[in-house]
Coordinates of all heavy atoms in Angstrom, one line a residue:
M1 N 1.2 -4.5 -34.0 CA 2.6 -4.6 -33.4 C 2.4 -5.3 -32.1 O 1.6 -5.0 -31.3 CB 3.2 -3.2 -33.2 CG 4.6 -3.2 -32.8 SD 5.4 -1.6 -33.0 CE 7.1 -1.9 -32.5
S2 N 3.2 -6.3 -31.8 CA 3.2 -7.0 -30.5 C 4.4 -6.7 -29.8 O 5.5 -6.4 -30.4 CB 3.0 -8.5 -30.7 OG 4.2 -9.0 -31.3
F3 N 4.3 -6.7 -28.5 CA 5.4 -6.3 -27.6 C 5.8 -7.4 -26.7 O 5.0 -8.1 -26.2 CB 5.0 -5.0 -26.8 CG 4.7 -3.9 -27.6 CD1 3.3 -3.4 -27.7 CD2 5.6 -3.2 -28.4 CE1 3.0 -2.4 -28.5 CE2 5.3 -2.1 -29.2 CZ 4.0 -1.7 -29.2
D4 N 7.1 -7.4 -26.4 CA 7.7 -8.4 -25.5 C 7.9 -7.6 -24.2 O 8.9 -6.9 -24.0 CB 9.0 -9.0 -26.0 CG 9.6 -9.9 -25.0 OD1 9.0 -10.1 -23.9 OD2 10.8 -10.3 -25.3
C5 N 7.0 -7.8 -23.2 CA 7.1 -7.0 -21.9 C 8.4 -7.3 -21.2 O 8.9 -6.5 -20.5 CB 5.9 -7.3 -21.1 SG 4.4 -6.7 -21.7
T6 N 9.0 -8.5 -21.4 CA 10.2 -8.9 -20.6 C 11.4 -8.2 -21.2 O 12.5 -8.2 -20.6 CB 10.5 -10.4 -20.7 OG1 10.7 -10.8 -22.0 CG2 9.3 -11.2 -20.1
A7 N 11.2 -7.5 -22.3 CA 12.3 -6.7 -22.9 C 11.9 -5.2 -22.9 O 12.4 -4.4 -23.6 CB 12.6 -7.1 -24.3
C8 N 10.9 -4.9 -22.0 CA 10.5 -3.5 -21.9 C 10.5 -3.0 -20.5 O 11.4 -2.5 -20.0 CB 9.1 -3.4 -22.6 SG 8.3 -1.8 -22.5
G9 N 9.3 -3.1 -19.8 CA 9.2 -2.6 -18.4 C 8.9 -1.1 -18.3 O 8.9 -0.5 -17.2
A10 N 8.6 -0.4 -19.5 CA 8.4 1.0 -19.4 C 7.2 1.4 -18.6 O 7.3 2.4 -17.9 CB 8.2 1.5 -20.9
C11 N 6.2 0.6 -18.6 CA 5.0 1.0 -17.8 C 5.3 1.0 -16.3 O 4.7 1.7 -15.5 CB 3.8 0.1 -18.1 SG 4.1 -1.7 -18.0
C12 N 6.2 0.1 -15.9 CA 6.5 0.0 -14.4 C 7.4 1.2 -14.0 O 7.8 1.3 -12.8 CB 7.2 -1.3 -14.2 SG 6.3 -2.7 -14.8
A13 N 7.8 2.0 -15.0 CA 8.7 3.2 -14.7 C 8.1 4.4 -15.3 O 8.8 5.2 -15.9 CB 10.1 2.9 -15.2
S14 N 6.7 4.5 -15.3 CA 6.1 5.7 -15.9 C 4.9 6.2 -15.1 O 4.6 7.4 -15.2 CB 5.5 5.3 -17.3 OG 6.6 5.0 -18.2
F15 N 4.2 5.3 -14.4 CA 2.9 5.7 -13.8 C 2.9 5.4 -12.3 O 3.6 4.5 -11.8 CB 1.8 4.9 -14.5 CG 1.7 5.0 -15.9 CD1 1.9 3.9 -16.7 CD2 1.5 6.2 -16.5 CE1 1.9 4.0 -18.1 CE2 1.5 6.3 -17.9 CZ 1.6 5.2 -18.7
R16 N 2.0 6.1 -11.6 CA 1.7 5.8 -10.2 C 1.0 4.5 -10.2 O 0.1 4.3 -11.1 CB 0.8 6.8 -9.6 CG 1.6 8.0 -9.1 CD 0.6 8.9 -8.3 NE 1.2 10.2 -8.1 CZ 0.6 11.3 -8.0 NH1 -0.7 11.4 -8.2 NH2 1.3 12.4 -7.8
V17 N 1.3 3.6 -9.3 CA 0.5 2.4 -9.2 C -0.2 2.3 -7.8 O 0.5 2.1 -6.8 CB 1.5 1.2 -9.4 CG1 0.7 -0.2 -9.2 CG2 2.2 1.2 -10.7
D18 N -1.4 2.6 -7.9 CA -2.3 2.6 -6.7 C -3.2 1.5 -6.6 O -3.7 1.0 -7.6 CB -3.1 3.9 -6.6 CG -2.2 5.2 -6.4 OD1 -1.0 5.0 -6.1 OD2 -2.8 6.3 -6.5
F19 N -3.5 1.0 -5.4 CA -4.4 -0.1 -5.3 C -5.1 0.0 -3.9 O -4.7 0.8 -3.1 CB -3.7 -1.4 -5.5 CG -2.5 -1.7 -4.6 CD1 -2.7 -2.4 -3.4 CD2 -1.3 -1.2 -4.9 CE1 -1.6 -2.6 -2.6 CE2 -0.2 -1.3 -4.1 CZ -0.3 -2.1 -2.9
H20 N -6.1 -0.8 -3.6 CA -6.7 -0.7 -2.3 C -5.9 -1.4 -1.3 O -5.3 -2.5 -1.5 CB -8.1 -1.4 -2.4 CG -8.9 -1.1 -1.2 ND1 -8.9 -1.8 0.0 CD2 -9.8 0.0 -1.0 CE1 -9.7 -1.2 0.8 NE2 -10.3 -0.2 0.3
P21 N -5.7 -0.8 -0.1 CA -4.9 -1.3 0.9 C -5.2 -2.8 1.3 O -4.3 -3.5 1.8 CB -5.1 -0.4 2.1 CG -5.5 0.9 1.5 CD -6.3 0.5 0.3
S22 N -6.4 -3.2 1.1 CA -6.7 -4.6 1.4 C -6.0 -5.6 0.6 O -5.9 -6.8 0.9 CB -8.3 -4.8 1.3 OG -8.7 -4.6 0.0
D23 N -5.4 -5.1 -0.6 CA -4.6 -6.0 -1.4 C -3.2 -6.1 -0.9 O -2.4 -6.9 -1.4 CB -4.5 -5.5 -2.8 CG -5.9 -5.7 -3.5 OD1 -6.7 -6.6 -3.1 OD2 -6.1 -5.1 -4.6
G24 N -2.8 -5.3 0.2 CA -1.5 -5.4 0.7 C -1.4 -6.4 1.8 O -2.3 -6.7 2.5
E25 N -0.2 -6.9 2.0 CA 0.1 -8.0 2.9 C -0.3 -7.6 4.4 O -0.8 -8.4 5.1 CB 1.6 -8.3 2.9 CG 2.0 -9.5 3.7 CD 3.5 -9.8 3.5 OE1 4.3 -8.9 3.5 OE2 3.8 -11.0 3.4
A26 N -0.1 -6.3 4.7 CA -0.5 -5.8 6.0 C -1.9 -6.0 6.4 O -2.3 -6.2 7.6 CB -0.1 -4.3 6.2
Q27 N -2.8 -6.1 5.3 CA -4.2 -6.3 5.6 C -4.6 -7.7 5.1 O -5.8 -7.9 4.7 CB -5.0 -5.2 5.0 CG -4.8 -3.9 5.6 CD -5.8 -2.8 5.3 OE1 -7.0 -3.2 4.9 NE2 -5.4 -1.6 5.3
G28 N -3.7 -8.6 4.9 CA -4.1 -10.0 4.5 C -4.1 -10.2 3.0 O -4.5 -11.2 2.5
G29 N -3.6 -9.2 2.3 CA -3.6 -9.3 0.8 C -2.2 -9.9 0.3 O -1.5 -10.4 1.1
R30 N -2.0 -9.7 -1.0 CA -0.9 -10.4 -1.6 C 0.4 -9.6 -1.8 O 1.5 -10.1 -1.8 CB -1.3 -11.0 -3.0 CG -2.4 -12.0 -2.9 CD -3.1 -12.1 -4.2 NE -2.2 -12.5 -5.3 CZ -2.3 -13.6 -6.0 NH1 -3.2 -14.5 -5.7 NH2 -1.4 -13.9 -6.9
V31 N 0.2 -8.3 -2.0 CA 1.4 -7.4 -2.3 C 2.3 -7.3 -1.1 O 1.8 -6.9 0.0 CB 0.9 -6.0 -2.7 CG1 2.1 -5.2 -3.1 CG2 -0.1 -6.1 -3.9
P32 N 3.5 -7.8 -1.2 CA 4.4 -7.9 0.0 C 4.7 -6.5 0.7 O 4.9 -5.5 0.0 CB 5.7 -8.4 -0.6 CG 5.3 -9.1 -1.9 CD 4.2 -8.3 -2.4
E33 N 4.7 -6.6 2.0 CA 5.0 -5.4 2.8 C 6.4 -4.9 2.4 O 7.3 -5.7 2.1 CB 5.0 -5.8 4.3 CG 3.6 -5.5 4.9 CD 3.6 -5.7 6.4 OE1 3.6 -6.8 6.9 OE2 3.7 -4.6 7.1
G34 N 6.6 -3.6 2.5 CA 8.0 -3.1 2.2 C 8.0 -2.6 0.8 O 9.0 -1.8 0.5
L35 N 7.1 -3.0 0.0 CA 7.1 -2.6 -1.4 C 6.1 -1.5 -1.7 O 6.0 -0.9 -2.8 CB 6.9 -3.7 -2.4 CG 8.0 -4.7 -2.5 CD1 7.6 -5.9 -3.4 CD2 9.3 -4.1 -3.0
Y36 N 5.2 -1.2 -0.7 CA 4.2 -0.2 -0.9 C 4.0 0.6 0.3 O 4.4 0.2 1.4 CB 2.9 -0.9 -1.3 CG 2.2 -1.7 -0.2 CD1 1.3 -1.2 0.6 CD2 2.6 -3.1 -0.1 CE1 0.8 -2.0 1.7 CE2 2.1 -3.8 0.9 CZ 1.1 -3.3 1.8 OH 0.6 -4.0 2.8
D37 N 3.3 1.7 0.2 CA 2.9 2.5 1.3 C 1.4 2.7 1.4 O 0.8 2.9 0.3 CB 3.6 3.9 1.2 CG 5.1 3.9 1.4 OD1 5.5 3.3 2.4 OD2 5.8 4.4 0.5
E38 N 0.8 2.6 2.5 CA -0.6 2.9 2.7 C -0.7 4.4 2.9 O -0.2 5.0 3.9 CB -1.2 2.2 3.9 CG -1.5 0.8 3.6 CD -2.3 0.1 4.7 OE1 -3.1 0.8 5.3 OE2 -2.1 -1.1 5.0
L39 N -1.4 5.1 1.9 CA -1.5 6.6 2.0 C -2.7 7.0 2.9 O -2.6 8.0 3.6 CB -1.7 7.2 0.6 CG -0.6 6.8 -0.4 CD1 -0.8 7.7 -1.6 CD2 0.8 7.1 0.2
N40 N -3.7 6.2 2.8 CA -4.9 6.4 3.7 C -5.7 5.1 3.7 O -5.3 4.1 3.2 CB -5.7 7.6 3.2 CG -6.1 7.5 1.7 OD1 -6.5 6.5 1.3 ND2 -5.8 8.6 0.9
G41 N -6.9 5.2 4.1 CA -7.8 4.0 4.2 C -8.2 3.5 2.9 O -8.7 2.3 2.8
A42 N -8.0 4.3 1.8 CA -8.5 3.8 0.5 C -7.4 3.6 -0.5 O -7.7 3.0 -1.6 CB -9.5 4.9 0.0
I43 N -6.2 4.1 -0.2 CA -5.1 4.0 -1.3 C -3.8 3.5 -0.7 O -3.3 4.0 0.3 CB -4.9 5.4 -1.9 CG1 -6.2 5.9 -2.6 CG2 -3.8 5.4 -2.9 CD1 -6.0 7.3 -3.1
A44 N -3.3 2.5 -1.4 CA -1.9 2.1 -1.2 C -1.2 2.3 -2.5 O -1.8 2.2 -3.6 CB -1.9 0.6 -0.8
R45 N 0.1 2.6 -2.4 CA 0.9 2.9 -3.6 C 2.2 2.2 -3.6 O 2.9 2.1 -2.6 CB 1.1 4.4 -3.6 CG 1.9 4.9 -4.8 CD 1.9 6.4 -4.9 NE 0.5 6.9 -5.2 CZ 0.1 8.2 -4.9 NH1 0.9 9.1 -4.4 NH2 -1.2 8.5 -5.2
M46 N 2.5 1.6 -4.8 CA 3.8 0.9 -4.9 C 4.9 1.9 -4.8 O 4.9 3.0 -5.3 CB 3.9 0.2 -6.3 CG 3.0 -0.9 -6.5 SD 3.2 -2.3 -5.3 CE 4.8 -2.9 -5.7
R47 N 5.9 1.6 -4.0 CA 7.0 2.5 -3.7 C 7.8 2.7 -5.0 O 8.0 1.8 -5.8 CB 7.9 1.9 -2.7 CG 7.3 2.0 -1.3 CD 8.3 1.6 -0.2 NE 7.6 1.8 1.1 CZ 8.1 1.2 2.2 NH1 9.2 0.6 2.2 NH2 7.4 1.4 3.3
G48 N 8.2 4.0 -5.1 CA 9.0 4.4 -6.3 C 8.1 4.9 -7.5 O 8.6 5.5 -8.4
T49 N 6.8 4.6 -7.4 CA 6.0 5.0 -8.6 C 5.5 6.4 -8.6 O 4.9 6.9 -9.5 CB 4.8 4.0 -8.8 OG1 3.9 4.2 -7.7 CG2 5.2 2.6 -8.9
D50 N 5.7 7.1 -7.5 CA 5.3 8.5 -7.5 C 6.6 9.5 -7.5 O 6.5 10.6 -7.1 CB 4.4 8.9 -6.3 CG 5.0 8.6 -5.0 OD1 6.2 8.1 -4.9 OD2 4.4 8.9 -3.9
H51 N 7.7 9.0 -7.8 CA 8.9 9.8 -7.9 C 8.8 10.6 -9.2 O 8.1 10.3 -10.1 CB 10.2 8.9 -8.0 CG 10.4 8.2 -6.6 ND1 11.5 7.4 -6.4 CD2 9.7 8.3 -5.5 CE1 11.4 6.9 -5.2 NE2 10.4 7.5 -4.6
A52 N 9.6 11.7 -9.3 CA 9.7 12.5 -10.5 C 10.0 11.6 -11.7 O 9.5 11.8 -12.8 CB 10.7 13.6 -10.4
Q53 N 10.9 10.7 -11.5 CA 11.2 9.7 -12.5 C 10.8 8.3 -11.9 O 11.6 7.7 -11.2 CB 12.7 9.7 -12.9 CG 13.1 11.0 -13.5 CD 14.5 10.9 -14.2 OE1 15.3 10.0 -14.0 NE2 14.7 11.9 -15.1
P54 N 9.6 7.9 -12.1 CA 9.0 6.8 -11.5 C 9.8 5.5 -11.8 O 10.2 5.3 -13.0 CB 7.6 6.7 -11.9 CG 7.3 7.9 -12.8 CD 8.6 8.5 -13.1
R55 N 9.8 4.6 -10.9 CA 10.3 3.2 -11.1 C 9.8 2.4 -10.0 O 10.3 2.6 -8.8 CB 11.8 3.2 -11.3 CG 12.3 1.7 -11.6 CD 13.8 1.6 -11.7 NE 14.1 0.2 -11.7 CZ 14.6 -0.5 -12.7 NH1 15.0 0.1 -13.8 NH2 14.9 -1.8 -12.6
C56 N 9.0 1.4 -10.2 CA 8.5 0.6 -9.2 C 9.6 -0.2 -8.5 O 10.5 -0.7 -9.2 CB 7.4 -0.4 -9.8 SG 6.7 -1.5 -8.5
R57 N 9.5 -0.2 -7.2 CA 10.5 -0.9 -6.4 C 10.6 -2.4 -6.7 O 11.6 -3.0 -6.5 CB 10.1 -0.7 -4.9 CG 11.1 -1.2 -3.9 CD 12.4 -0.3 -3.8 NE 12.1 1.0 -3.4 CZ 12.0 1.4 -2.1 NH1 12.1 0.6 -1.1 NH2 11.8 2.7 -1.8
A58 N 9.5 -3.0 -7.3 CA 9.5 -4.4 -7.6 C 10.1 -4.7 -9.0 O 10.2 -5.9 -9.3 CB 8.1 -5.0 -7.5
L59 N 10.4 -3.7 -9.7 CA 11.0 -3.9 -11.1 C 12.5 -4.3 -11.0 O 13.2 -3.5 -10.4 CB 10.7 -2.7 -12.0 CG 11.2 -2.9 -13.4 CD1 10.2 -3.9 -14.1 CD2 11.1 -1.5 -14.2
R60 N 12.8 -5.3 -11.7 CA 14.2 -5.7 -11.7 C 14.7 -5.7 -13.2 O 13.9 -5.9 -14.1 CB 14.4 -7.2 -11.2 CG 14.1 -7.4 -9.8 CD 15.3 -6.8 -9.0 NE 15.1 -6.9 -7.5 CZ 14.6 -6.0 -6.7 NH1 14.2 -4.8 -7.2 NH2 14.4 -6.2 -5.4
G61 N 15.9 -5.3 -13.4 CA 16.5 -5.3 -14.7 C 16.7 -3.9 -15.3 O 16.5 -2.9 -14.6
T62 N 16.9 -3.9 -16.6 CA 17.2 -2.7 -17.4 C 16.0 -2.5 -18.4 O 15.8 -3.4 -19.2 CB 18.5 -2.8 -18.1 OG1 19.5 -3.1 -17.2 CG2 18.8 -1.5 -18.9
I63 N 15.4 -1.3 -18.2 CA 14.3 -1.0 -19.1 C 14.7 -1.0 -20.6 O 15.8 -0.5 -20.9 CB 13.7 0.3 -18.7 CG1 13.0 0.2 -17.3 CG2 12.7 0.8 -19.7 CD1 12.7 1.5 -16.6
G64 N 13.9 -1.6 -21.4 CA 14.2 -1.7 -22.8 C 15.1 -2.8 -23.2 O 15.4 -3.0 -24.3
Q65 N 15.6 -3.6 -22.2 CA 16.5 -4.7 -22.4 C 16.0 -6.0 -21.9 O 15.5 -6.8 -22.6 CB 17.9 -4.4 -21.9 CG 18.5 -3.2 -22.6 CD 19.9 -2.9 -22.2 OE1 20.6 -3.7 -21.6 NE2 20.4 -1.7 -22.4
C66 N 16.0 -6.1 -20.5 CA 15.6 -7.3 -19.9 C 15.1 -7.0 -18.5 O 15.8 -6.4 -17.7 CB 16.7 -8.3 -19.8 SG 16.3 -9.9 -19.1
V67 N 13.8 -7.2 -18.3 CA 13.2 -6.8 -17.0 C 12.3 -8.0 -16.4 O 11.9 -8.9 -17.2 CB 12.3 -5.6 -17.1 CG1 13.1 -4.3 -17.4 CG2 11.2 -5.8 -18.1
S68 N 12.0 -7.9 -15.1 CA 11.0 -8.7 -14.5 C 10.4 -8.1 -13.3 O 11.1 -7.2 -12.7 CB 11.6 -10.1 -14.2 OG 12.6 -9.9 -13.2
C69 N 9.2 -8.5 -13.0 CA 8.6 -8.0 -11.8 C 8.8 -9.1 -10.8 O 8.4 -10.3 -11.0 CB 7.1 -7.8 -12.0 SG 6.1 -7.6 -10.5
W70 N 9.5 -8.8 -9.7 CA 9.8 -10.0 -8.8 C 8.6 -10.3 -7.9 O 8.7 -11.3 -7.1 CB 11.1 -9.8 -8.1 CG 11.2 -8.7 -7.0 CD1 11.6 -7.5 -7.2 CD2 11.0 -8.9 -5.6 NE1 11.6 -6.8 -6.0 CE2 11.3 -7.7 -5.0 CE3 10.7 -10.0 -4.8 CZ2 11.2 -7.5 -3.7 CZ3 10.6 -9.8 -3.5 CH2 10.8 -8.5 -2.9
I71 N 7.5 -9.6 -8.0 CA 6.3 -10.1 -7.3 C 5.2 -10.4 -8.3 O 4.0 -10.2 -8.1 CB 5.8 -9.0 -6.3 CG1 5.5 -7.7 -7.0 CG2 6.8 -8.8 -5.2 CD1 4.6 -6.8 -6.1
Y72 N 5.6 -10.8 -9.5 CA 4.7 -11.0 -10.6 C 3.4 -11.7 -10.2 O 2.3 -11.3 -10.5 CB 5.3 -11.7 -11.8 CG 4.5 -11.7 -13.0 CD1 4.4 -10.6 -13.8 CD2 3.8 -12.8 -13.4 CE1 3.6 -10.6 -15.0 CE2 3.0 -12.8 -14.5 CZ 2.9 -11.7 -15.3 OH 2.1 -11.7 -16.4
E73 N 3.5 -12.8 -9.5 CA 2.3 -13.6 -9.1 C 1.4 -12.8 -8.1 O 0.2 -13.1 -8.0 CB 2.7 -14.9 -8.5 CG 3.4 -15.9 -9.5 CD 2.6 -16.2 -10.7 OE1 1.3 -16.3 -10.5 OE2 3.1 -16.3 -11.8
D74 N 2.0 -11.9 -7.4 CA 1.3 -11.1 -6.4 C 1.2 -9.7 -6.7 O 0.9 -8.9 -5.8 CB 2.1 -11.3 -5.0 CG 2.1 -12.8 -4.6 OD1 1.1 -13.5 -4.8 OD2 3.2 -13.2 -4.1
R75 N 1.4 -9.3 -7.9 CA 1.3 -7.9 -8.3 C -0.1 -7.3 -8.1 O -1.1 -8.1 -8.2 CB 1.8 -7.6 -9.7 CG 0.9 -8.2 -10.8 CD 1.7 -8.4 -12.1 NE 0.9 -8.7 -13.2 CZ 0.3 -9.9 -13.5 NH1 0.5 -10.9 -12.6 NH2 -0.4 -10.1 -14.5
P76 N -0.2 -6.0 -7.8 CA -1.6 -5.5 -7.6 C -2.4 -5.4 -8.8 O -2.0 -5.5 -10.0 CB -1.2 -4.1 -7.0 CG 0.1 -3.7 -7.5 CD 0.8 -5.0 -7.7
E77 N -3.7 -5.1 -8.6 CA -4.7 -5.1 -9.6 C -4.4 -4.3 -10.9 O -4.5 -4.8 -12.0 CB -6.0 -4.7 -9.0 CG -7.3 -5.1 -9.8 CD -7.3 -6.7 -9.9 OE1 -7.0 -7.4 -8.9 OE2 -7.7 -7.1 -11.0
P78 N -3.9 -3.0 -10.7 CA -3.7 -2.2 -11.9 C -2.6 -2.8 -12.8 O -2.7 -2.7 -14.0 CB -3.1 -0.9 -11.3 CG -3.5 -0.9 -9.9 CD -3.7 -2.3 -9.5
C79 N -1.7 -3.5 -12.2 CA -0.7 -4.2 -13.0 C -1.3 -5.4 -13.8 O -0.9 -5.7 -14.9 CB 0.5 -4.7 -12.2 SG 1.2 -3.4 -11.1
R80 N -2.2 -6.1 -13.2 CA -2.9 -7.2 -13.8 C -3.8 -6.7 -15.0 O -3.9 -7.5 -15.9 CB -3.8 -8.0 -12.8 CG -2.9 -8.6 -11.7 CD -3.8 -9.2 -10.6 NE -3.0 -9.7 -9.6 CZ -2.4 -10.9 -9.6 NH1 -2.6 -11.7 -10.6 NH2 -1.6 -11.3 -8.7
E81 N -4.3 -5.5 -14.8 CA -5.2 -5.0 -15.9 C -4.5 -4.3 -17.0 O -5.1 -4.1 -18.0 CB -6.3 -4.1 -15.2 CG -7.2 -4.9 -14.3 CD -8.1 -3.9 -13.5 OE1 -7.9 -2.7 -13.6 OE2 -9.0 -4.5 -12.8
F82 N -3.3 -3.9 -16.8 CA -2.6 -3.1 -17.8 C -2.4 -4.0 -19.1 O -1.9 -5.1 -19.0 CB -1.2 -2.7 -17.2 CG -0.7 -1.5 -18.0 CD1 -1.0 -0.2 -17.6 CD2 0.2 -1.7 -19.0 CE1 -0.5 0.9 -18.3 CE2 0.7 -0.6 -19.7 CZ 0.4 0.7 -19.3
E83 N -2.7 -3.4 -20.2 CA -2.6 -4.1 -21.4 C -1.5 -3.7 -22.3 O -1.4 -2.5 -22.7 CB -4.0 -4.0 -22.2 CG -5.1 -4.8 -21.6 CD -6.4 -4.6 -22.4 OE1 -6.3 -4.6 -23.6 OE2 -7.4 -4.6 -21.8
A84 N -0.7 -4.6 -22.7 CA 0.3 -4.4 -23.7 C -0.4 -3.9 -25.0 O -1.4 -4.5 -25.4 CB 1.2 -5.6 -24.0
G85 N 0.2 -2.9 -25.6 CA -0.4 -2.3 -26.9 C -1.5 -1.3 -26.6 O -2.0 -0.7 -27.6
S86 N -1.9 -1.1 -25.4 CA -2.9 0.0 -25.1 C -2.2 1.4 -25.2 O -1.0 1.5 -25.4 CB -3.4 -0.2 -23.6 OG -2.3 0.0 -22.7
E87 N -3.1 2.4 -25.2 CA -2.6 3.8 -25.3 C -1.6 4.1 -24.3 O -0.5 4.7 -24.5 CB -3.7 4.8 -25.3 CG -4.3 5.2 -26.6 CD -3.2 5.6 -27.6 OE1 -2.4 6.5 -27.2 OE2 -3.2 5.0 -28.7
A88 N -1.9 3.7 -23.0 CA -1.0 3.9 -21.9 C 0.4 3.2 -22.1 O 1.4 3.7 -21.8 CB -1.6 3.5 -20.6
C89 N 0.3 2.0 -22.6 CA 1.5 1.2 -22.9 C 2.4 2.0 -23.9 O 3.6 2.2 -23.7 CB 1.1 -0.2 -23.4 SG 2.4 -1.0 -24.3
L90 N 1.7 2.4 -25.0 CA 2.5 3.1 -26.0 C 3.1 4.4 -25.5 O 4.2 4.8 -25.8 CB 1.6 3.4 -27.2 CG 1.0 2.2 -27.9 CD1 0.2 2.5 -29.1 CD2 2.1 1.1 -28.3
R91 N 2.3 5.1 -24.6 CA 2.8 6.3 -24.0 C 4.1 6.0 -23.2 O 5.1 6.8 -23.2 CB 1.7 6.9 -23.1 CG 1.7 8.4 -23.1 CD 0.4 9.0 -22.6 NE 0.0 8.5 -21.4 CZ -1.2 8.0 -21.2 NH1 -2.1 8.0 -22.1 NH2 -1.6 7.6 -20.0
A92 N 4.0 5.0 -22.4 CA 5.1 4.6 -21.5 C 6.3 4.3 -22.4 O 7.5 4.7 -22.1 CB 4.7 3.4 -20.6
R93 N 6.1 3.5 -23.4 CA 7.2 3.1 -24.3 C 7.9 4.4 -24.9 O 9.1 4.5 -25.0 CB 6.8 2.1 -25.4 CG 6.5 0.7 -24.8 CD 6.0 -0.2 -25.9 NE 7.1 -0.4 -26.9 CZ 8.0 -1.3 -26.8 NH1 8.1 -2.2 -25.8 NH2 8.9 -1.4 -27.8
R94 N 7.1 5.3 -25.4 CA 7.6 6.5 -26.0 C 8.4 7.3 -25.0 O 9.5 7.8 -25.3 CB 6.5 7.4 -26.5 CG 5.9 6.9 -27.9 CD 5.0 7.9 -28.5 NE 4.0 7.2 -29.3 CZ 2.8 7.0 -29.0 NH1 2.3 7.5 -27.8 NH2 2.0 6.3 -29.8
R95 N 7.9 7.3 -23.8 CA 8.6 8.1 -22.7 C 10.0 7.5 -22.5 O 10.9 8.2 -22.1 CB 7.8 7.9 -21.4 CG 8.4 8.6 -20.2 CD 7.5 8.2 -19.0 NE 8.2 8.8 -17.8 CZ 7.6 9.5 -16.9 NH1 6.4 9.8 -17.0 NH2 8.3 9.9 -15.9
H96 N 10.2 6.2 -22.7 CA 11.5 5.6 -22.6 C 12.2 5.4 -23.9 O 13.2 4.6 -23.9 CB 11.3 4.3 -21.8 CG 11.0 4.5 -20.4 ND1 11.9 4.7 -19.4 CD2 9.8 4.6 -19.7 CE1 11.4 4.9 -18.2 NE2 10.1 4.9 -18.4
G97 N 11.7 6.0 -24.9 CA 12.5 6.0 -26.2 C 12.4 4.6 -26.9 O 13.2 4.3 -27.7
L98 N 11.3 3.9 -26.6 CA 11.1 2.6 -27.2 C 10.1 2.6 -28.4 O 9.2 3.5 -28.3 CB 10.7 1.5 -26.2 CG 11.6 1.4 -25.0 CD1 11.0 0.5 -23.9 CD2 13.0 0.8 -25.4
A99 N 10.3 1.8 -29.3 CA 9.3 1.8 -30.5 C 7.9 1.6 -30.0 O 7.6 0.8 -29.1 CB 9.7 0.6 -31.4
A100 N 7.0 2.4 -30.6 CA 5.6 2.4 -30.1 C 4.7 2.2 -31.3 O 3.5 2.7 -31.3 CB 5.3 3.6 -29.3
G101 N 5.1 1.6 -32.3 CA 4.2 1.3 -33.5 C 4.1 2.5 -34.4 O 4.5 3.6 -34.1
Ligands
SF4_201 S1 4.4 -4.5 -9.2 FE1 5.5 -5.4 -10.9 S2 4.1 -5.2 -12.7 FE2 3.4 -3.7 -11.1 S3 4.5 -1.8 -11.6 FE3 5.7 -2.9 -10.1 S4 7.2 -4.1 -11.3 FE4 5.6 -3.4 -12.7
SF4_202 S1 4.9 -0.6 -21.5 FE1 3.7 -2.1 -22.7 S2 5.2 -3.5 -23.7 FE2 6.2 -2.4 -22.0 S3 6.1 -3.8 -20.3 FE3 4.4 -2.4 -20.1 S4 2.7 -3.4 -21.2 FE4 4.6 -4.4 -21.8

């Protein structure tokens, strides 16, 4: 089963998204300031992703219909590594009531 991420977005509204603070703009990285918080010297976290009902601040649109990441080119490492069709992907889709194969 293949998935169209632009009609999904479930993973951006399911998991904490942590990355090294050096990837954040404040330390010369790419992830824009204002979209993440530095928790300590080793962890920065996308805003909105640690809420009881997570939703990354950079996600635009309606989950399961039409979405986009408005920092797509500058998104942090975990987002780059996340694979459509992986176990985590399917878990996120189920959480949002979307078909998961
Ligand atoms: S930065 Fe973009 S790809 Fe990563 S969780 Fe947020 S909206 Fe999704
Ligand atoms: S949950 Fe899977 S299909 Fe949906 S946007 Fe994320 S990677 Fe793509």
Side-chain angles (χ1 to χ4, degrees):
M1 189 166 180
S2 68
F3 299 110
D4 176 5
C5 293
T6 64
C8 178
C11 53
C12 308
S14 295
F15 306 117
R16 278 187 191 148
V17 178
D18 289 351
F19 55 97
H20 195 272
S22 61
D23 289 341
E25 191 176 39
Q27 295 195 27
R30 297 160 59 115
V31 183
E33 271 190 277
L35 288 178
Y36 68 91
D37 293 307
E38 280 191 34
L39 304 188
N40 54 47
I43 299 175
R45 180 169 293 161
M46 291 304 292
R47 288 188 178 164
T49 65
D50 61 355
H51 293 178
Q53 297 196 340
R55 181 180 167 119
C56 179
R57 188 71 63 84
L59 184 68
R60 292 286 180 263
T62 303
I63 291 164
Q65 294 183 20
C66 181
V67 294
S68 63
C69 169
W70 70 270
I71 60 161
Y72 189 78
E73 295 301 325
D74 298 320
R75 68 199 189 286
E77 203 59 39
C79 306
R80 296 173 182 277
E81 291 172 356
F82 200 88
E83 288 182 33
S86 64
E87 266 311 307
C89 160
L90 301 183
R91 213 161 53 232
R93 287 182 61 89
R94 281 189 207 106
R95 177 186 176 129
H96 288 273
L98 302 171

